[in-house]
Amino acid sequence: MADALSVIPASVLRNLADKLYEKRKNAALEVEGIVKQLTTAGDHDKITAVINLLTTEFTNSPQANHRKGGLIGLAAATVGLTSEAAQHLEQIVPPVLNSFSDQDSRVRYYACEALYNIAKVVRGDFIIFFNQIFDALCKLSADSDANVQSAAHLLDRLVKDIVTESDQFSIEEFIPLLRERMNVLNPYVRQFLVGWITVLDSVPDIDMLGFLPDFLDGLFNMLSDSSHEIRQQADSALSEFLQEIKNSPSVDYGRMAEILVQRAASPDEFTRLTAITWINEFVKLGGDQLVPYYADILGAILPCISDKEEKIRVVARETNEELRAIKADPAEGFDVGAILSIARRQLSSEWEATRIEALHWISNLLNRHRAEVLTFLNDIFDTLLEALSDPSDQVVLLVLEVHACIAQDPQHFRQLVVFLVHNFRVDNSLLEKRGALIIRRLCVLLDAERVYRELSTILEGESDLDFASIMVQALNLILLTSSELSELRDLLKHSLVNPFGKDLFVSLYASWCHSPMAIISLCLLAQTYQHASTVVQSLVEEDINVKFLVQLDKLIRLLETPIFAYLRLQLLEPGRHVWLLKALYGLLMLLPQQSAAFKILRTRLKTVPSYSFNGEQLRRTSLGNPYQILHHMPGGSQITEDGDINQDSKNSHNGINFASRLQQFEQMQRQHRQHAKVQAQSHRNSTSSSTPKDVQRPEELSRTSSSDVNRPPSRSRRATGQLQL
């Protein structure tokens, strides 16, 4: 220090700490001249002493004016050193950098000014301090004082110029510094960072693209900034990088894909659009690199397919198609399980379009990698079954296609039908609202006969008798009305002459026994009219309840539809179809006379002619009732079970043991009646304590109202005239 005091006059040092800027400026000029003389003389020891004096006595002083003077003095000394300044930078720069955090804004301002002047002199030599300078500038960019900000901006521009022309700048050392600050929310800092990213990316010798994954997330974060200018700058930088990616032969897609997937779920619309646009380009460009990330990418795409913004939806759909078109193999890292997991999760999406695309993916995987998908079947099967209750018909139809694809294997087919029946059992609304749609579609996809046989087998042993009855009634209605089951109906119509029809009739009969009306409908469809009549005759009082009458009403109305046109035409030949007439009159006798169904059926039966159009000799009975028509058949012909004429009565039933079938039906109905009694008793026990003695109970009301129903007289339950083969 003594050397410095001997070199610098006391008056200069005094003016250097003066409160007036002009005096400090003049003193700094004198310091510059002194250092210049020492540099010319090569006396670096005294130069070092001068710098130490300026640092210890001025920049580290508690007095603000001293600190200001020290900063301007250090800058002046650097100017005086000119080309020799580089060897003294280790002394000069640190005190200036420390002043950037000074409490006095004017000191911070002079620190910017000092470093600016130092940088102009040393240029690229001060790159060794770049990280510290960058850190200081980052903080100053958000300084509370506008003058300091302005000075920092000037310094920042100079530093950028120096860096772009320097060959000593290390991007590897700079990136960690940049990454640390990319998630800062301050708008000034964000502008500062985007500015540096843009500048460095413009330097040909600096490979910013290679380090893009380190700061990509930060740039995306800026897209949702409240400042339009920052959003615009970030978007501009991202657009430039995307263009570079398209033109680059080598890009690390994987790391960036992870970032894009996260940003595609951003609540900010612009961020989502940019992210999904990048993903779209990655899928087109990335190829095999993206195989391990397919599941994550799909997880980002599927929700965007239902985005409220149309632009996002369009890009997401295009990306989805691009991704699905790529044929990847599990051996190449394609994770079928992960894709299925994503698709399964998206089946719970609130958006229909997303659920539909998730199902398309499952279907696509089944077609391409069936064996692998089936190994994960337990993970997705329950979700697929739940999707059958989806409010969207389109979703339900797609789910059924997936189920049908899975059910190509016999064991999976059985599992599907068992689970389906289970779902119908636990969710009554599913059967009511979607039962017909589900069953009809499955019949198309998996063969109607196969589906109905399996359902019948399961329902035959169903322990929940109420559910079994409802399910059978639903299946029966679908069988009688659905266009998809026309071939099945045609097969059943020939049950008496076709072995396959007979086999199907017997198969369905076992479960159709749960519902008297279903059995009667099945017999009418199969043209086993005598058995239909016998079933009607076998009904007892408990069978004729409100539910039965409702089902009977439906059947009578169905008899008027085109499906039963063949039956109505058979009434033109009452001589050949006596048992059909008897069955229909039996149903008529069960209907209340004032009901619409009674009037419909009675009107139909009144149109039956009293003679046949087949040339047979007929004569009326004493009452003229077609029901009691007798026939004189030439050649000893007999009236077979269904009322048709057949010379070989032994083949008329095609092996159907109707007596055994009737026993099967009656046994099942006894179980239903016993079950109903148990339920009624349980209900009476639960309500007896709260039911006054003088109040008529519901079951008593039911019995009272049932007196209005016309029932036929008691009938023998023996199957009179049936043939067993």
Side-chain angles (χ1 to χ4, degrees):
M1 186 176 293
D3 289 344
L5 292 174
S6 65
V7 173
I8 302 176
S11 60
V12 172
L13 295 175
R14 204 167 38 249
N15 287 336
L16 199 60
D18 198 276
K19 64 180 180 180
L20 295 177
Y21 171 74
E22 286 299 325
K23 288 187 176 183
R24 293 198 302 274
K25 181 180 178 182
N26 291 331
L29 289 173
E30 292 189 38
V31 169
E32 178 187 333
I34 293 169
V35 171
K36 189 176 291 186
Q37 291 175 358
L38 292 173
T39 301
T40 303
D43 194 346
H44 286 280
D45 290 337
K46 287 185 178 180
I47 294 173
T48 300
V50 170
I51 295 171
N52 284 337
L53 174 66
L54 293 172
T55 301
T56 56
E57 297 298 320
F58 287 87
T59 58
N60 293 337
S61 171
Q63 300 296 322
N65 289 332
H66 281 67
R67 299 197 295 276
K68 296 173 188 175
L71 289 167
I72 196 172
L74 287 173
T78 305
V79 174
L81 282 165
T82 58
S83 60
E84 303 290 327
Q87 59 184 299
H88 294 281
L89 285 180
E90 292 285 352
Q91 290 176 277
I92 296 171
V93 174
V96 178
L97 292 175
N98 291 336
S99 299
F100 282 139
S101 58
D102 197 283
Q103 293 182 346
D104 191 317
S105 62
R106 295 302 296 168
V107 174
R108 299 197 299 275
Y109 176 85
Y110 283 112
C112 291
E113 185 181 75
L115 192 59
Y116 182 89
N117 290 324
I118 293 169
K120 279 203 304 184
V121 173
V122 300
R123 302 297 292 186
D125 289 331
F126 95 142
I127 288 294
I128 58 173
F129 296 101
F130 176 78
N131 283 3
Q132 297 97 306
I133 293 170
F134 180 84
D135 183 56
L137 286 173
C138 187
K139 294 174 182 176
L140 291 175
S141 66
D143 198 278
S144 57
D145 188 282
N147 291 325
V148 175
Q149 279 192 25
S150 178
H153 290 160
L154 288 172
L155 174 61
D156 181 53
R157 283 200 289 271
L158 176 60
V159 174
K160 285 174 181 173
D161 289 341
I162 294 172
V163 167
T164 54
E165 65 188 30
S166 172
D167 57 0
Q168 300 178 36
F169 176 75
S170 173
I171 184 65
E172 290 81 5
E173 294 179 8
F174 168 70
I175 290 299
L177 199 67
L178 176 64
R179 186 173 56 234
E180 285 178 16
R181 290 156 178 76
M182 283 305 293
N183 289 321
V184 174
L185 299 179
N186 187 285
Y188 298 107
V189 174
R190 284 184 162 182
Q191 280 187 306
F192 171 79
L193 295 173
V194 174
W196 268 99
I197 290 171
T198 303
V199 167
L200 293 177
D201 187 49
S202 66
V203 180
D205 295 334
I206 297 178
D207 180 24
M208 284 294 282
L209 184 60
F211 295 95
L212 182 56
D214 292 287
F215 55 87
L216 179 64
D217 189 61
L219 281 176
F220 267 93
N221 201 26
M222 294 179 190
L223 291 176
S224 58
D225 196 277
S226 58
S227 167
H228 175 73
E229 185 177 358
I230 293 174
R231 292 198 304 272
Q232 197 171 40
Q233 289 176 351
D235 180 51
S236 177
L238 285 168
S239 298
E240 184 62 32
F241 278 119
L242 185 57
Q243 189 59 45
E244 291 177 30
I245 289 172
K246 293 178 182 179
N247 299 329
S248 175
S250 176
V251 177
D252 183 1
Y253 290 101
R255 285 181 61 197
M256 289 189 285
E258 295 176 358
I259 296 169
L260 298 174
V261 164
Q262 296 296 323
R263 290 298 169 181
S266 170
D268 178 68
E269 180 182 299
F270 186 50
T271 303
R272 290 198 309 278
L273 176 59
T274 307
I276 203 69
T277 301
W278 273 61
I279 291 174
N280 180 270
E281 293 295 339
F282 275 27
V283 170
K284 293 176 181 177
L285 301 169
D288 295 341
Q289 283 193 52
L290 289 176
V291 170
Y293 303 95
Y294 273 13
D296 293 334
I297 292 173
L298 181 63
I301 292 172
L302 289 179
C304 289
I305 285 174
S306 303
D307 200 277
K308 61 183 180 181
E309 174 56 45
E310 184 181 2
K311 292 180 180 178
I312 297 175
R313 293 198 302 271
V314 170
V315 178
R317 287 188 178 279
E318 179 185 329
T319 309
N320 185 54
E321 294 304 318
E322 292 278 352
L323 193 64
R324 195 152 50 203
I326 298 174
K327 291 179 170 55
D329 191 86
E332 301 169 352
F334 183 72
D335 194 338
V336 173
I339 295 283
L340 282 174
S341 179
I342 291 294
R344 178 186 59 79
R345 188 162 66 243
Q346 292 302 328
L347 283 179
S348 301
S349 168
E350 61 179 310
W351 305 109
E352 178 185 2
T354 293
R355 300 196 300 274
I356 288 172
E357 288 306 320
L359 287 166
H360 280 311
W361 267 98
I362 296 175
S363 179
N364 185 266
L365 289 175
L366 273 168
N367 292 329
R368 289 187 183 179
H369 311 288
R370 180 178 180 81
E372 288 81 2
V373 171
L374 293 181
T375 62
F376 296 99
L377 188 58
N378 289 337
D379 298 332
I380 64 172
F381 201 76
D382 287 345
T383 305
L384 286 172
L385 285 171
E386 291 172 6
L388 291 173
S389 302
D390 196 277
S392 164
D393 284 349
Q394 188 175 356
V395 170
V396 173
L397 292 174
L398 284 172
V399 172
L400 290 171
E401 288 186 17
V402 172
H403 277 302
C405 187
I406 295 171
Q408 290 173 6
D409 301 325
Q411 70 272 27
H412 293 133
F413 173 76
R414 170 74 180 180
Q415 186 182 14
L416 166 63
V417 181
V418 168
F419 271 95
L420 188 59
V421 172
H422 171 73
N423 273 22
F424 284 146
R425 185 190 303 110
V426 298
D427 185 1
N428 293 331
S429 62
L430 177 62
L431 178 58
E432 180 183 344
K433 297 176 181 177
R434 288 289 167 72
L437 176 67
I438 292 171
I439 298 299
R440 289 167 59 188
R441 190 59 184 163
L442 280 181
C443 286
V444 172
L445 297 170
L446 292 173
D447 179 62
E449 183 177 350
R450 184 186 181 199
V451 171
Y452 261 70
R453 282 180 179 274
E454 192 66 40
L455 285 168
S456 181
T457 301
I458 294 169
L459 291 171
E460 181 182 357
E462 175 61 48
S463 58
D464 187 343
L465 297 181
D466 290 334
F467 164 72
S469 178
I470 294 171
M471 184 74 190
V472 165
Q473 290 167 15
L475 291 174
N476 184 64
L477 185 62
I478 296 168
L479 173 64
L480 295 177
T481 59
S482 299
S483 58
E484 295 88 345
L485 275 70
S486 60
E487 292 184 6
L488 203 61
R489 290 195 295 271
D490 289 340
L491 185 59
L492 284 168
K493 286 177 185 178
H494 300 90
S495 297
L496 293 174
V497 294
N498 186 322
F500 299 105
K502 180 269 296 186
D503 193 47
L504 177 60
F505 175 83
V506 173
S507 176
L508 296 185
Y509 195 101
S511 60
W512 259 236
C513 287
H514 283 292
S515 169
M517 195 48 56
I519 281 290
I520 295 170
S521 302
L522 182 64
C523 291
L524 293 178
L525 183 63
Q527 303 190 72
T528 57
Y529 299 136
Q530 181 180 2
H531 190 64
S533 176
T534 306
V535 169
V536 172
Q537 295 288 324
S538 73
L539 297 176
V540 299
E541 180 181 353
E542 290 91 337
D543 297 329
I544 316 300
N545 52 34
V546 174
K547 292 181 180 178
F548 175 87
L549 293 175
V550 169
Q551 292 296 314
L552 179 53
D553 182 277
K554 290 181 180 179
L555 175 60
I556 299 306
R557 296 177 189 277
L558 282 173
L559 292 177
E560 297 297 315
T561 63
I563 290 172
F564 281 104
Y566 70 93
L567 182 148
R568 299 195 300 274
L569 289 174
Q570 287 173 349
L571 294 175
L572 289 173
E573 300 178 314
R576 295 182 62 193
H577 303 285
V578 172
W579 291 110
L580 171 58
L581 279 170
K582 185 173 182 180
L584 294 179
Y585 269 98
L587 296 178
L588 184 68
M589 295 302 108
L590 297 179
L591 286 166
Q593 291 190 41
Q594 300 305 315
S595 65
F598 178 88
K599 296 173 182 177
I600 292 172
L601 183 55
R602 184 180 61 179
T603 301
R604 174 60 63 185
L605 290 173
K606 282 183 177 180
T607 64
V608 176
S610 58
Y611 53 87
S612 293
F613 291 103
N614 61 358
E616 297 176 13
Q617 299 298 319
L618 304 173
R619 63 183 179 85
R620 298 176 182 272
T621 64
S622 58
L623 297 177
N625 191 337
Y627 175 66
Q628 297 175 336
I629 292 177
L630 299 176
H631 306 274
H632 294 286
M633 303 299 177
S637 297
Q638 299 178 5
I639 299 177
T640 62
E641 193 279 332
D642 68 331
D644 203 352
I645 300 174
N646 194 310
Q647 295 290 338
D648 187 2
S649 63
K650 291 184 179 181
N651 293 327
S652 63
H653 302 81
N654 198 32
I656 300 176
N657 189 330
F658 284 103
S660 177
R661 299 283 79 77
L662 183 63
Q663 290 176 3
Q664 188 178 22
F665 169 72
E666 290 178 334
Q667 182 180 358
M668 183 64 76
Q669 287 307 301
R670 281 196 295 272
Q671 293 181 27
H672 276 271
R673 287 192 289 271
Q674 183 61 33
H675 174 69
K677 288 177 182 177
V678 171
Q679 283 192 321
Q681 182 62 42
S682 175
H683 177 71
R684 283 195 294 270
N685 291 341
S686 64
T687 59
S688 59
S689 59
S690 59
T691 304
K693 293 182 179 179
D694 57 343
V695 176
Q696 195 174 25
R697 293 175 179 168
E699 59 270 22
E700 295 170 341
L701 289 171
S702 177
R703 286 197 294 271
T704 302
S705 61
S706 67
S707 62
D708 294 332
V709 179
N710 289 333
R711 297 190 178 91
S714 62
R715 299 169 293 275
S716 169
R717 296 173 61 187
R718 186 176 58 204
T720 306
Q722 286 199 38
L723 297 176
Q724 283 192 27
L725 297 179

